Amino acid sequence: TFGEVVEEPTGKLLYQPFESRLPPEDRDFSDVWQTLATPSGITYFRSREKLMVVQNASVRALSPVGQFSAAGLAKGVLYAHDSGLGLLRVDSDEASLVPGGEVFKNTRVTAIAEGEDGALLVGTQGQGLFEFDPGSGELRSLGPALGSAEILSVHQLGDGQIAVGTLRRGLFLLSRAGELRLRMDRDFGL
């Protein structure tokens, strides 16, 4: 389920699901794994089977060719991974493949984050971390130190360094160029 919490005049908080605002054919989806809100007031809810778009009182659903495995915001724009197509740019009512985005088709993308100069940081399950330019399709591998780590999250810090959270391999801190600066795991600080 997905929805919002509203306050009644009495001060009581009430959960209101959004499913009833979707057409019946768009209500069949599993767990919502991500919620992302843009500065312009659009909120996205990502499940594997649907990407729900909530704007004002309107709720719409987009369907993937494969599955939606990750989504992330960059400069207020949502990018989502469709395992059957690749990396998509989502503009409110439609999703379109970005130039070069097909390189991620059939890749298990697990994290998408804003990088520097309009680039995206794209984390994968066992295939590494990439810097990807959604305008040109240019792709650069980052962090060979990550090896085959299963990336769960990625975030570019204010100083340009990149924090990468992994499953069972700990936390990595990389330079802008992808060089290992720090690794924290059970043996080293976690």
Side-chain angles (χ1 to χ4, degrees):
T1 185
F2 72 110
E4 65 183 342
V5 176
V6 295
E7 186 175 0
E8 293 183 327
T10 62
K12 181 180 177 184
L13 296 178
L14 180 67
Y15 176 75
Q16 297 197 336
F18 287 142
E19 281 95 337
S20 62
R21 297 187 202 172
L22 287 172
E25 64 271 14
D26 286 333
R27 294 180 190 168
D28 187 24
F29 56 89
S30 61
D31 296 333
V32 171
W33 289 94
Q34 277 182 289
T35 303
L36 299 155
T38 69
S40 63
I42 301 172
T43 304
Y44 298 95
F45 295 84
R46 181 192 62 82
S47 74
R48 288 188 172 109
E49 301 83 12
K50 300 285 181 193
L51 181 66
M52 282 69 69
V53 182
V54 179
Q55 187 173 20
N56 301 320
S58 169
V59 181
R60 301 171 303 284
L62 302 174
S63 298
V65 171
Q67 290 187 339
F68 288 122
S69 65
L73 290 171
K75 305 232 182 293
V77 175
L78 185 85
Y79 292 90
H81 177 255
D82 178 334
S83 62
L85 290 176
L87 197 60
L88 309 175
R89 177 187 170 119
V90 180
D91 292 306
S92 192
D93 282 348
E94 62 183 31
S96 56
L97 191 65
V98 298
E102 64 277 357
V103 72
F104 294 108
K105 180 180 178 181
N106 298 320
T107 299
R108 178 79 165 110
V109 171
T110 53
I112 301 170
E114 183 173 350
E116 291 185 328
D117 301 322
L120 299 175
L121 298 172
V122 180
T124 66
Q125 187 175 37
Q127 296 174 342
L129 176 67
F130 300 91
E131 182 179 64
F132 179 78
D133 183 331
S136 68
E138 185 178 330
L139 180 71
R140 182 170 71 101
S141 179
L142 293 174
L146 296 170
S148 61
E150 295 179 47
I151 296 171
L152 294 178
S153 62
V154 61
H155 183 79
Q156 186 140 33
L157 306 177
D159 64 0
Q161 294 186 92
I162 303 165
V164 182
T166 68
L167 183 65
R168 293 186 287 279
R169 298 265 321 269
L171 175 71
F172 292 78
L173 187 62
L174 307 175
S175 71
R176 289 180 174 149
E179 299 154 336
L180 180 64
R181 294 283 187 230
L182 174 71
R183 178 176 176 201
M184 294 177 66
D185 60 14
R186 287 185 180 159
D187 295 330
F188 300 102
L190 282 184

